[in-house]
Amino acid sequence: MISLSVLDYSPIDEGSNAHEALWQTTELAKCAESLGYKRFWVSEHHFVDSVANSSPELLMMHLASSTKEIRIGSGGVMLPHYSSYKVAENFRMMEALHPNRIDIGIGRSPSYRIVNQALNDGKSKKQSYDQQVVDLKKYFTDNTVDEHRFQSLIATPRIPTKPEMWMLGTGEKGAEVAATLGTGYVFAHFAKPGTKGIHTVKGYRSKFTPSAFLQRPTTIISLFAIVEETEEKAEDLAKAFDLWLLFVESNNQPPYYPSIQTAKSRGFSSIEEHKVRQNRKRMIVGTPKQVKEEIEKIAEAFETDEIMIIPNVSGVENRKKVISLLAKEFKLHERKG
């Protein structure tokens, strides 16, 4: 049985603003909880004008307080920007206030060079990403036995539970780190679709070492999902997403997420059409039945029982509809009851 979770970018829709976008994320989290989704994660984006969330920890605290049962997490915290010790303290604080509900997804996306420089301004020495992850595990498990440069240091508050720890990735390196440390692994299918990811996930499972976090390998596959009642309506939503992806992956950063009408009226050049066709491999577009079938194929190929959908479409009501239609198709309400 496949569990469904949500990753939200807090997009700023055309005609809206960051304030409204963050409250729309709150609405979406409450909706996901009522529908029976397992987790609701939020992203970390810097210097992206069309995305409101630059601080997942702060938004997570708000969302955890605004919901009751659904797990709240980061997808993810970009660890190279920060001190592992401070990240551990932040997540322990959330876990202390909302026990057994907090997830920490960790990534190492470099962001823009200027962002990386600004977030690390004044640091004389940076630890390697692998060392930072090892440090984070130490702080979450209160390990003062193994040799470490801060061997006696404990991250406070001291609590009996710990956040679930997940490594995010698209390649073998991140999967190996997750396997060695015994954490969960999230494969970003939306970034790197294709059969190579299946081998990466298999490698994670084969090398997995049980830990204080997990006794067995556990995976989530994350993907873009665009769902509507008809193929025509789904295609309209997809065209707006196509345009947003073209913009954010170029030097032409948009100030907002374009509407369906804007995408229709603008159209695409022949060069852009080629890029759109390539990007379509990264998403599932269609009716609830069509998207469910594709999700089941992906879950079977990756041998996973959890899929994290990214309903990054134009308009909060459309985002709610995406997760509502999928919840109905997967009969999540029956499991919730």
Side-chain angles (χ1 to χ4, degrees):
M1 186 176 294
I2 301 172
S3 296
L4 294 183
S5 297
V6 176
L7 170 60
D8 185 52
Y9 281 13
S10 300
I12 301 173
D13 292 315
E14 185 173 346
S16 185
N17 55 52
H19 172 80
E20 291 180 357
L22 293 171
W23 281 104
Q24 288 167 357
T25 287
T26 309
E27 287 182 44
L28 194 64
K30 291 179 178 179
C31 181
E33 180 173 62
S34 70
L35 292 168
Y37 281 79
K38 185 173 183 178
R39 312 173 198 272
F40 189 92
W41 285 11
V42 292
S43 63
E44 176 181 340
H45 287 90
H46 301 281
F47 203 37
V48 180
D49 290 344
S50 58
V51 174
N53 183 27
S54 57
S55 179
E57 299 98 325
L58 287 177
L59 184 53
M60 282 177 60
M61 182 65 87
H62 167 69
L63 295 176
S65 298
S66 300
T67 53
K68 296 178 181 179
E69 299 174 349
I70 193 169
R71 295 194 67 90
I72 301 295
S74 61
V77 168
M78 298 302 123
L79 199 54
H81 296 325
Y82 312 111
S83 151
S84 294
Y85 185 63
K86 186 57 180 173
V87 170
E89 288 185 323
N90 285 342
F91 277 81
R92 274 202 150 180
M93 181 65 77
M94 284 189 281
E95 178 69 17
L97 291 167
H98 304 281
N100 297 309
R101 288 189 59 207
I102 302 301
D103 299 333
I104 177 168
I106 305 158
R108 56 175 158 188
S109 173
S111 297
Y112 296 101
R113 179 175 295 181
I114 191 173
V115 168
N116 201 355
Q117 291 172 341
L119 287 170
N120 289 278
D121 193 24
K123 294 182 182 178
S124 58
K125 181 182 179 181
K126 289 177 61 177
Q127 296 296 327
S128 70
Y129 177 71
D130 290 3
Q131 182 61 54
Q132 283 190 291
V133 176
V134 169
D135 293 348
L136 200 56
K137 181 181 179 181
K138 166 198 161 40
Y139 298 135
F140 280 143
T141 56
D142 296 334
N143 185 348
T144 58
V145 176
D146 293 343
E147 186 176 338
H148 189 273
R149 65 192 186 284
F150 302 123
Q151 187 170 343
S152 63
L153 186 62
I154 295 289
T156 54
R158 293 194 185 207
I159 51 177
T161 61
K162 62 177 71 66
E164 283 191 11
M165 189 167 164
W166 297 82
M167 300 295 297
L168 317 182
T170 58
E172 294 180 2
K173 180 62 176 176
E176 287 178 5
V177 174
T180 301
L181 296 181
T183 72
Y185 181 63
V186 183
F187 179 76
H189 181 274
F190 66 89
K192 290 290 179 70
T195 58
K196 188 175 180 180
I198 296 172
H199 298 298
T200 297
V201 170
K202 284 183 177 178
Y204 158 75
R205 288 199 184 94
S206 67
K207 297 174 183 176
F208 182 84
T209 302
S211 72
F213 290 102
L214 290 171
Q215 289 302 300
R216 62 180 183 84
T218 308
T219 59
I220 300 174
I221 309 302
S222 58
L223 49 87
F224 290 129
I226 300 177
V227 191
E228 251 291 4
E229 292 168 342
T230 67
E231 291 183 42
E232 292 75 19
K233 289 181 179 180
E235 184 61 27
D236 286 343
L237 286 175
K239 277 188 169 63
F241 185 46
D242 291 336
L243 183 57
W244 182 79
L245 271 181
L246 285 174
F247 282 147
V248 297
E249 294 179 351
S250 70
N251 293 321
N252 187 18
Q253 278 286 334
Y256 50 74
Y257 193 116
S259 66
I260 292 172
Q261 186 56 46
T262 294
K264 282 183 173 181
S265 60
R266 181 189 180 278
F268 302 109
S269 69
S270 57
I271 295 175
E272 288 173 337
E273 285 282 7
H274 174 73
K275 180 63 176 174
V276 166
R277 285 193 295 272
Q278 294 301 112
N279 279 337
R280 283 296 181 99
K281 298 174 184 177
R282 300 165 55 188
M283 63 188 85
I284 304 175
V285 182
T287 64
K289 184 175 183 295
Q290 291 169 334
V291 173
K292 179 175 185 280
E293 289 174 353
E294 288 303 310
I295 285 176
E296 288 175 336
K297 289 178 184 176
I298 290 172
E300 182 178 6
F302 280 91
E303 299 179 36
T304 190
D305 60 5
E306 185 169 352
I307 297 290
M308 181 167 284
I309 65 167
I310 310 171
N312 202 30
V313 299
S314 176
V316 64
E317 293 306 317
N318 290 326
R319 293 190 283 279
K320 288 181 184 177
K321 192 171 184 180
V322 167
I323 68 172
S324 296
L325 289 172
L326 276 182
K328 183 178 180 180
E329 194 67 27
F330 277 89
K331 297 182 171 59
L332 296 188
H333 65 286
E334 294 182 6
R335 306 180 211 174
K336 193 174 189 297

